[in-house]
């Protein structure tokens, strides 16, 4: 698979593929109706910017995280995993620069007191980072509250880190932060991992886990939440090889999304402008996705230079240099980071999987999810639930399949409706047990995409499903 878009072409010159089949409402309502994602604490009126993954959502999300882990850890001999704590020594966030500058520009309506992130206001989307820091920008641009048209305050910086208290007494000394990224856990463990795993450069540390940001204007479903998940990998390299590694990670990460079902026409690279780069970054390119609400970041790929290990070494007093036995040099490694979202990625796959078709005059909604991502790989359905032998055979088959894959049994409707239900949640294969099965020991396997049906001996069903899953994984 190749990357069709050249990362050096400015993003705005690339064609817009237009909206997806599924708009935001379609995905939000399907997610709720079919048990993928619910608003958090809904019976209490909900809590802004937190979402709960339902029975199918947790399967989808786990499958996405597992696919990432397979590509980033299991299949590579130069990357290892880590699961660092969400709470870290507060000094980590001082050294990383988060305490001083992990902030967004906040403006407030003087009339209704609603608060907005300046760069998300209508008419402010194109502001450069320099302009976003300009105290007169609201006036100069004539920006107004989008709801009340009221006057807006001058922007002030709002730190996005959540604070909490460690220990029984709420005192300043015990303030700790909920991590806003997983990356710092990998940096402070660089030496532990390198030494205990006897690693030579280049090597990477991968982490998947929760992060927290007190976003000023969360929204657009799971795109921007206050509690979310990240899939981040830090690749430690020789400084003179960082640019090459950076370039190599771009197509790899692009291809990962495409192989799992993202539509490449809805992806693009966007390089950060010089004034947009974080203070530590040498170069940053985002993989953006054309969400129903516009082009937005899906993943960031960053050349972070030696900022992270250099700063932690200086602040902690620990020597975080690497000794290269080949060249006999001591140096602080550079870091190339790939920072993806464990919520944005499944969201993207849901959007691209959704399609509506007309079959014999009826609407068929299909989630054409990659089989590896589908919550259930197979559904076992009895044609006649009144025949106990059919039900028994179907349940036995499901139990056997469930030892290897997520398999579900359903007899709560007629077969046509059962198929539609499985189509709508993305189950790639349905197995139907009918009267003939009792005589010939064979069942019908139906393919979600083609709706083709084939007769298969019961004892061959598991092999067939596992082979098709493996084939889908190979692409
Ligand atoms: P944005 O510009 O959208 O705020 P960011 O540049 O701050 O994102 P990073 O710090 O690079 O994001 O985080 C890496 C990834 O984590 C993002 O690409 C995204 O997929 C995910 N992510 C970051 N913030 C959130 C959030 N509030 N909700 C859901 N996912 C998030």
């Amino acid at each position: 698979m190749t990357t069709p878009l050249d990362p050096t072409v400015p993003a705005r010159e690339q064609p817009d593929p237009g909206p997806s089949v599924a708009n935001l409402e379609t995905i939000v309502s399907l997610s709720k109706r079919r048990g993928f994602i619910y608003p958090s604490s809904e019976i209490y009126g909900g809590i802004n910017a937190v979402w709960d993954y339902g029975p199918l959502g947790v399967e989808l999300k786990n499958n996405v995280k597992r696919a990432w882990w397979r590509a980033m850890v299991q299949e590579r001999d130069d990357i290892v995993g880590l699961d660092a704590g969400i709470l870290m020594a507060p000094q980590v966030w001082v050294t990383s620069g988060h305490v001083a500058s992990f902030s967004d520009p906040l403006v407030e309506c003087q009339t209704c007191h609603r608060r907005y992130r300046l760069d998300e206001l209508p008419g402010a989307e194109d502001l450069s980072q320099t302009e976003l820091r300009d105290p007169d920008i609201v006036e100069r641009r004539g920006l107004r509250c989008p709801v009340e048209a009221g006057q807006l305050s001058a922007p002030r910086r709002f730190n996005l880190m959540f604070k909490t208290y460690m220990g029984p007494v709420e005192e300043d000394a015990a303030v700790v932060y909920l991590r806003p990224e997983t990356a710092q856990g990998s940096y402070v463990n660089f030496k532990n991992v390198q030494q205990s795993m006897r690693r030579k450069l280049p090597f990477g540390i991968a982490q998947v886990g929760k992060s927290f940001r007190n976003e000023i204007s969360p929204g657009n479903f799971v795109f921007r939440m206050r509690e979310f998940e990240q899939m981040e990998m830090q690749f430690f390299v020789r400084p003179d090889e960082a640019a090459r590694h950076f370039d190599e990670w771009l197509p790899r990460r692009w291809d990962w999304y495409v192989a799992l079902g993202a539509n490449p026409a809805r992806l693009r690279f966007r390089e950060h402008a010089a004034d947009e780069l974080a203070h530590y970054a040498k170069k940053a390119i985002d993989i953006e996705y054309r969400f129903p609400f516009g082009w937005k970041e899906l993943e960031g790929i960053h050349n972070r230079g030696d900022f992270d290990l250099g700063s932690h070494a200086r602040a902690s007093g620990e020597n975080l240099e690497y000794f290269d036995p080949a060249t006999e040099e001591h140096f602080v490694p550079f870091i190339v980071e790939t920072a993806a979202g464990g919520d944005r990625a499944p969201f993207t796959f849901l959007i691209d999987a959704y399609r509506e078709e007309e079959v014999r005059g009826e609407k068929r909604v299909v989630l054409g999810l990659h089989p590896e991502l589908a919550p259930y790989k197979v559904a076992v359905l009895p044609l006649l639930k009144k025949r106990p032998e059919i039900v028994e055979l179907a349940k036995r088959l499901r139990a056997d399949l469930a030892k290897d894959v997520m398999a579900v049994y359903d007899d709560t409707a007629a077969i046509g409706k059962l198929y539609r239900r499985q189509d709508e949640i993305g189950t790639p294969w349905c197995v139907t047990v009918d009267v003939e099965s009792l005589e010939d020991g064979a069942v019908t396997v139906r393919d979600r995409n083609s709706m083709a049906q084939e007769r298969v001996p019961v004892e061959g069903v598991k092999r067939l499903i596992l082979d098709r899953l493996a084939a889908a994984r190979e692409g």
Side-chain angles (χ1 to χ4, degrees):
M1 215 171 309
T2 50
T3 313
L5 297 180
D6 179 351
T8 58
V9 175
R12 72 186 75 81
E13 287 169 22
Q14 291 169 359
D16 187 332
S20 48
V21 177
N23 59 29
L24 189 56
E25 289 71 37
T26 310
I27 295 293
V28 174
S29 105
L30 178 114
S31 295
K32 171 100 196 285
R33 202 160 25 88
R34 289 288 182 228
F36 281 90
I37 301 172
Y38 314 121
S40 167
S41 321
E42 199 181 7
I43 61 167
Y44 286 99
I47 171 173
N48 199 4
V50 185
W51 294 86
D52 295 343
Y53 284 78
L56 299 191
V58 68
E59 296 299 333
L60 170 66
K61 190 177 184 188
N62 281 343
N63 291 341
V64 170
K65 291 191 285 184
R66 216 172 284 131
W68 186 88
W69 197 264
R70 177 181 300 116
M72 302 299 277
V73 180
Q74 185 179 324
E75 291 180 355
R76 296 192 64 99
D77 61 3
D78 54 359
I79 303 180
V80 290
L82 179 77
D83 184 14
I86 285 172
L87 302 176
M88 302 183 73
Q91 185 60 38
V92 168
W93 305 109
V94 177
T95 306
S96 67
H98 282 82
V99 170
S101 59
F102 189 57
S103 56
D104 279 337
L106 170 89
V107 292
E108 186 174 328
C109 174
Q110 311 289 325
T111 315
C112 69
H113 299 287
R114 284 192 179 84
R115 289 170 175 178
Y116 304 97
R117 204 172 120 172
L118 175 59
D119 54 335
E120 288 181 350
L121 279 176
E125 299 96 337
D126 62 327
L127 290 177
S128 68
Q129 289 298 313
T130 315
E131 288 169 308
L132 288 172
R133 284 170 194 278
D134 174 354
D136 300 325
I137 192 68
V138 168
E139 216 170 308
R140 183 123 34 81
R141 276 278 171 123
L143 298 172
R144 293 297 219 171
C145 170
V147 179
E148 299 281 334
Q151 213 175 336
L152 294 168
S153 67
R156 65 185 169 88
R157 303 303 296 189
F158 174 78
N159 194 294
L160 302 183
M161 278 200 296
F162 277 100
K163 281 183 195 165
T164 187
Y165 300 92
M166 198 144 180
V169 186
E170 285 193 14
E171 56 186 26
D172 268 0
V175 164
V176 290
Y177 301 96
L178 300 188
R179 70 178 175 199
E181 60 176 34
T182 66
Q184 298 300 324
S186 298
Y187 305 149
V188 300
N189 277 298
F190 166 73
K191 199 129 221 181
N192 281 337
V193 173
Q194 193 251 319
Q195 292 182 346
S196 60
M197 304 304 288
R198 290 196 217 97
R199 288 285 149 172
K200 292 203 168 65
L201 295 192
F203 80 94
I205 302 181
Q207 280 204 82
V208 173
K210 286 274 171 112
S211 292
F212 303 81
R213 295 182 189 178
N214 200 0
E215 300 278 4
I216 297 169
S217 39
N220 289 325
F221 197 35
V222 297
F223 176 80
R224 192 176 299 289
M225 298 190 283
R226 292 197 169 117
E227 173 180 344
F228 58 98
E229 205 142 358
Q230 291 189 304
M231 308 186 289
E232 297 195 301
M233 193 280 300
Q234 317 299 321
F235 209 57
F236 301 90
V237 301
R238 286 180 58 90
D240 53 3
E241 292 180 354
R244 174 173 66 79
H245 285 294
F246 180 88
D247 290 344
E248 286 174 1
W249 276 108
L250 293 171
R252 262 185 222 136
R253 293 302 309 140
W254 174 289
D255 290 348
W256 183 80
Y257 289 101
V258 176
L260 287 171
N263 176 355
R266 311 186 65 75
L267 293 175
R268 72 180 186 187
F269 284 119
R270 190 182 69 82
E271 179 161 7
H272 286 210
D275 74 344
E276 190 188 351
L277 281 177
H279 55 285
Y280 50 78
K282 300 241 174 287
K283 189 168 178 172
I285 293 184
D286 289 344
I287 298 178
E288 290 191 335
Y289 179 76
R290 174 60 160 82
F291 285 93
F293 36 87
W295 287 103
K296 300 278 178 194
E297 174 178 336
L298 187 54
E299 167 158 351
I301 297 155
H302 313 122
N303 178 350
R304 304 177 62 113
D306 63 1
F307 173 80
D308 305 289
L309 292 185
S311 317
H312 283 305
R314 275 190 299 280
S316 66
E318 189 78 29
N319 181 2
L320 297 178
E321 285 186 338
Y322 173 80
F323 174 67
D324 190 336
T327 59
E328 304 206 324
E329 290 166 287
H330 289 269
F331 56 85
V332 175
F334 271 32
I335 293 170
V336 174
E337 172 187 54
T338 68
D343 304 279
R344 286 185 196 176
F347 185 17
T348 302
F349 294 129
L350 271 180
I351 294 169
D352 276 335
Y354 184 92
R355 58 174 200 264
E356 294 173 2
E357 296 170 355
E358 213 186 281
V359 179
R360 288 188 287 279
E362 272 186 49
K363 185 167 113 175
R364 177 171 100 115
V365 173
V366 187
L367 269 191
L369 286 169
H370 189 289
E372 186 146 14
L373 303 186
Y376 296 127
K377 308 307 177 206
V378 54
V380 185
L381 315 169
L383 198 65
L384 284 175
K385 70 168 172 179
K386 289 198 190 100
R387 290 283 298 268
E389 316 93 284
I390 294 183
V391 169
E392 205 235 289
L393 176 56
K395 287 191 172 171
R396 218 171 345 115
L397 179 57
R398 190 218 71 97
D400 183 48
L401 289 167
K403 289 180 187 147
D404 292 277
V405 292
M406 282 299 292
V408 65
Y409 169 88
D410 193 2
D411 65 7
T412 56
I415 192 70
K417 192 150 187 207
L418 294 180
Y419 281 152
R420 295 287 177 276
R421 253 186 225 162
Q422 296 301 324
D423 289 342
E424 205 182 2
I425 60 172
T427 309
W429 300 286
C430 287
V431 178
T432 309
V433 181
D434 54 27
V435 183
E436 270 166 47
S437 308
L438 302 174
E439 265 124 57
D440 66 2
V443 289
T444 301
V445 177
R446 172 194 181 262
D447 183 273
R448 176 197 66 199
N449 290 352
S450 64
M451 292 191 287
Q453 306 193 357
E454 61 191 301
R455 212 59 192 164
V456 178
V458 178
E459 56 287 359
V461 171
K462 186 188 273 189
R463 190 66 272 147
L464 181 121
I465 302 288
L466 291 177
D467 286 350
R468 296 220 169 136
L469 262 178
R473 189 177 294 155
E474 292 307 313

